[in-house]
Amino acid sequence: MSKSINFLLTLFLLLSFNHVVTQCSEVDEFDELLALDDELEREKEHDGVKSSEAEVLTKAQRIVHELNNENTERIVNGYEFVLVLGYAPWCSRSAELMPHFAEAANSLKEFGNSLVLAKLDGDRFTKAASFLGIKGYPTLLLFVNGTSQPYSGGFTADDIVIWARKRTGTPVIRISTEKAAEEFLKKYHTFLIGRFDKFEGPEYEEFVSAAKSDNETQFVDVSKVELAQVLYPDIKPTGNFLGIVKSEPERYTAYDGAFRLDKIMEFLSYNKFPLVTQLTEMNSVSVYSSPAKHQVFVFANTDDFKNLLDSLQEVARTFKSKIMFIYVDINDENLAKPFLTMFGLEESTNTVVAAFDNGMSSKFLLESKPTRSNIEEFCSKLVQGSLLTYFKSQPIPDNTEAIVQVVVGKTFDEEILNSKKDVVLEVFTPWCFNCEDTSKQVEKLAKHYKSSSNLIFARIDASANEHPKLQVNDFPTLLLYKANDKTNPIKLSTKSSLKELAASINKHVKVKDQVAKDEL
């Protein structure tokens, strides 16, 4: 059965199996349903019959408790640990998260975890949503003995399971047999292994503290070297050891620092991701919160990315722990377009390589062909701090006949800052409600002052053009750049009449050779 069918089937079961639990449906009934599932499972194991996917999903539906206005308070206060998913049927991210939530419920039950998973249609049961403190969708909340705690893990089934187990008493999985090690490898593709002669002492305590502090990566500890080698073949035979394992060419990375919480967490933060991480809705929070000082984004279609991947991984290996490399499907509008818009490339279908510093306060663009050598040079300059910050710009316009000059990012220096004339600049955006009225006023002013030899009028579309010396957040904005002081533009009121604007201009600028042919 395909993944898409699995997704739709899970979603159908979670949304359509929407029984309302009445006042008589106490917690005991929920436990009876689980007991029934266990009995059926034992019978099928005895008969050698494997459960169908539909039956597994039906079981997940029973495990994921349905909340409503009547039973919510009783459920969250009736168990030690309850993880609640607040969703809305119309929310696409809720729909995407639900199958992962159901899968996590199955896995947690198999582990024997005491956590109860429950879901609430907050759009339908507003009273219950208000009681739980759910204000947006989807929302995950952990209730410990009735007290709410925010969810801080990832959004795949594995992420939910790891986070839940850590928060309910199992921050570290201990491996004691070869069979357990082999089973562990089947379930976990990324994990942090710690080998200790004894599970005690300062170094081990720091390891456990790191396991509790981390939200996304499974920690495992082992004592016997031969067992540790099943998980990490090249493990050191003596002394305490830490290493991270991932399912990719760069599979094993050993830790060589001090066994301190902060250092272990730093090592994990820089090494838990693949050499090249594909950005998805599910991992976006984790990716955006990465502490990596620099992030290089590659926007490409699937085929182009496959052709580039080997070279990209080689470059990523060179800059490991210095740059995080992220791939985004350029056809995914929700993920790619917000970034591409920052470069004025939202309509691009060709591969785009861009970079950001931590916090995305500065952005950079590879303006040459995305070959391995060009990407490597781009990354070297990024790390060295010698890349020029990218500011988006429209093409240079022809202003020969324009009464109001059109300025773009590339011409801002020449037309505004380096101009020997006084300049009135209109800063607008196409989506601005009041910009059209201001534009008409600017055009009338330009006609009024058209005979002036030292005063010009210009406009710039701030949605498509940037410049480090143009920091405007309100639109429309009118700025008067005086010829003798371009560093301190004077802000003119966009709510003034034409005569008031003219008076303000005349107050600050001595207009030369003016012949007023048009009355204001």
Side-chain angles (χ1 to χ4, degrees):
M1 187 178 287
S2 70
K3 290 183 178 179
S4 60
I5 294 175
N6 277 335
F7 175 86
L8 292 172
L9 180 56
T10 308
L11 184 58
F12 172 77
L13 285 167
L14 285 169
L15 290 176
S16 63
F17 196 87
N18 196 27
H19 65 280
V20 178
V21 183
T22 61
Q23 192 65 32
C24 65
S25 180
E26 298 289 342
V27 173
D28 291 342
E29 182 181 350
F30 179 47
D31 293 333
E32 288 172 7
L33 286 172
L34 299 186
L36 177 61
D37 280 327
D38 291 336
E39 185 179 341
L40 290 172
E41 213 168 72
R42 286 193 295 271
E43 288 177 1
K44 289 190 176 185
E45 285 176 0
H46 181 269
D47 295 336
V49 179
K50 186 178 180 181
S51 297
S52 69
E53 291 186 28
E55 289 170 334
V56 170
L57 292 171
T58 301
K59 179 184 174 184
Q61 172 57 35
R62 288 174 174 171
I63 294 172
V64 178
H65 206 53
E66 186 79 36
L67 301 181
N68 56 46
N69 288 335
E70 286 70 43
N71 69 359
T72 293
E73 185 174 359
R74 185 175 68 253
I75 296 299
V76 298
N77 290 323
Y79 293 92
E80 182 179 8
F81 300 109
V82 182
L83 183 63
V84 175
L85 166 62
Y87 71 94
W90 45 260
C91 172
S92 60
R93 295 201 68 178
S94 293
E96 190 171 358
L97 178 57
M98 275 186 166
H100 295 278
F101 194 70
E103 186 181 340
N106 267 332
S107 296
L108 286 165
K109 186 169 189 299
E110 288 173 4
F111 282 126
N113 192 274
S114 61
L115 178 69
V116 170
L117 275 71
K119 60 188 175 74
L120 172 73
D121 180 346
D123 196 47
R124 179 181 178 188
F125 302 110
T126 55
K127 180 181 176 182
S130 177
F131 171 76
L132 296 175
I134 294 172
K135 298 178 181 178
Y137 307 107
T139 293
L140 282 168
L141 293 172
L142 175 67
F143 288 83
V144 181
N145 294 317
T147 301
S148 172
Q149 296 182 6
Y151 179 82
S152 55
F155 297 101
T156 66
D158 288 342
D159 290 337
I160 295 170
V161 169
I162 290 169
W163 187 89
R165 296 190 77 191
K166 288 189 176 192
R167 292 300 178 277
T168 56
T170 316
V172 181
I173 293 176
R174 181 159 298 167
I175 301 295
S176 302
T177 65
E178 185 173 338
K179 181 180 179 182
E182 291 170 350
E183 288 298 317
F184 180 86
L185 283 176
K186 293 177 183 177
K187 293 180 179 178
Y188 294 96
H189 305 294
T190 299
F191 56 89
L192 188 75
I193 178 175
R195 195 204 75 79
F196 299 90
D197 292 324
K198 296 181 179 180
F199 301 124
E200 59 184 31
E203 291 191 343
Y204 183 70
E205 289 174 3
E206 292 292 299
F207 171 77
V208 174
S209 294
K212 292 178 179 177
S213 299
D214 173 72
N215 292 321
E216 300 172 344
T217 306
Q218 183 60 60
F219 280 52
V220 57
D221 62 20
V222 62
S223 180
K224 295 180 181 179
V225 174
E226 58 270 24
L227 291 182
Q229 287 174 336
V230 176
L231 305 175
Y232 198 111
D234 296 330
I235 200 166
K236 294 178 181 178
T238 58
N240 293 340
F241 174 87
L242 281 181
I244 192 166
V245 180
K246 294 177 292 186
S247 56
E248 63 161 71
E250 197 77 7
R251 184 163 174 76
Y252 304 103
T253 304
Y255 174 68
D256 59 2
F259 279 66
R260 282 180 18 212
L261 169 63
D262 59 335
K263 294 298 181 182
I264 295 173
M265 293 299 291
E266 182 179 308
F267 167 76
L268 182 60
S269 295
Y270 280 104
N271 291 280
K272 65 183 178 182
F273 291 103
L275 285 174
V276 181
T277 301
Q278 180 171 359
L279 183 68
T280 66
E281 292 282 0
M282 292 292 100
N283 70 8
S284 58
V285 174
S286 178
V287 170
Y288 296 152
S289 62
S290 165
K293 186 177 180 181
H294 302 292
Q295 295 181 329
V296 169
F297 281 74
V298 177
F299 303 90
N301 63 45
T302 304
D303 291 337
D304 289 343
F305 176 68
K306 285 180 181 178
N307 294 332
L308 188 60
L309 180 58
D310 288 344
S311 296
L312 198 59
Q313 286 183 327
E314 290 175 10
V315 176
R317 193 173 287 110
T318 302
F319 295 96
K320 192 175 179 181
S321 298
K322 295 179 181 178
I323 299 176
M324 183 175 182
F325 288 80
I326 301 161
Y327 161 62
V328 185
D329 183 349
I330 201 167
N331 297 314
D332 188 331
E333 286 199 1
N334 290 336
L335 292 175
K337 198 165 185 176
F339 289 102
L340 294 173
T341 299
M342 298 172 72
F343 295 88
L345 299 172
E346 56 269 27
E347 302 302 326
S348 179
T349 56
N350 297 321
T351 299
V352 174
V353 177
F356 299 89
D357 65 357
N358 191 285
M360 295 190 175
S361 57
S362 297
K363 61 181 183 289
F364 312 90
L365 181 68
L366 176 66
E367 300 190 65
S368 56
K369 189 176 180 181
T371 62
R372 178 188 168 182
S373 59
N374 287 341
I375 294 174
E376 190 165 12
E377 182 183 5
F378 177 75
C379 292
S380 294
K381 290 181 177 179
L382 177 66
V383 171
Q384 294 164 8
S386 59
L387 271 185
L388 293 177
T389 302
Y390 180 83
F391 296 96
K392 62 183 178 181
S393 175
Q394 292 174 305
I396 297 175
D398 180 5
N399 284 315
T400 305
E401 302 295 330
I403 191 168
V404 178
Q405 305 291 300
V406 176
V407 177
V408 297
K410 294 177 181 177
T411 62
F412 191 86
D413 282 329
E414 178 185 355
E415 300 291 342
I416 307 296
L417 301 183
N418 299 333
S419 172
K420 302 299 183 183
K421 297 183 179 182
D422 301 299
V423 183
V424 174
L425 178 67
E426 172 199 352
V427 187
F428 74 97
T429 63
W431 42 261
C432 162
F433 183 75
N434 295 318
C435 285
E436 186 176 350
D437 290 339
T438 300
S439 293
K440 291 177 181 179
Q441 283 190 313
V442 169
E443 288 168 5
K444 289 179 180 179
L445 285 168
K447 290 178 182 178
H448 180 69
Y449 288 101
K450 66 182 178 181
S451 299
S452 171
S453 61
N454 67 310
L455 177 63
I456 60 174
F457 289 79
R459 61 167 54 109
I460 185 169
D461 179 354
S463 70
N465 299 278
E466 297 172 325
H467 191 278
K469 294 294 178 67
L470 182 67
Q471 302 297 326
V472 175
N473 296 314
D474 296 323
F475 308 104
T477 291
L478 285 178
L479 299 172
L480 172 59
Y481 289 84
K482 296 178 66 175
N484 59 355
D485 185 9
K486 293 298 178 73
T487 58
N488 297 296
I490 299 165
K491 191 171 183 179
L492 304 177
S493 174
T494 56
K495 296 181 180 179
S496 299
S497 66
L498 281 171
K499 287 186 177 181
E500 289 171 334
L501 281 172
S504 296
I505 292 170
N506 291 335
K507 176 183 175 182
H508 296 290
V509 175
K510 186 177 181 181
V511 181
K512 299 177 183 178
D513 306 324
Q514 181 186 355
V515 179
K517 293 184 178 181
D518 297 304
E519 291 295 329
L520 292 176

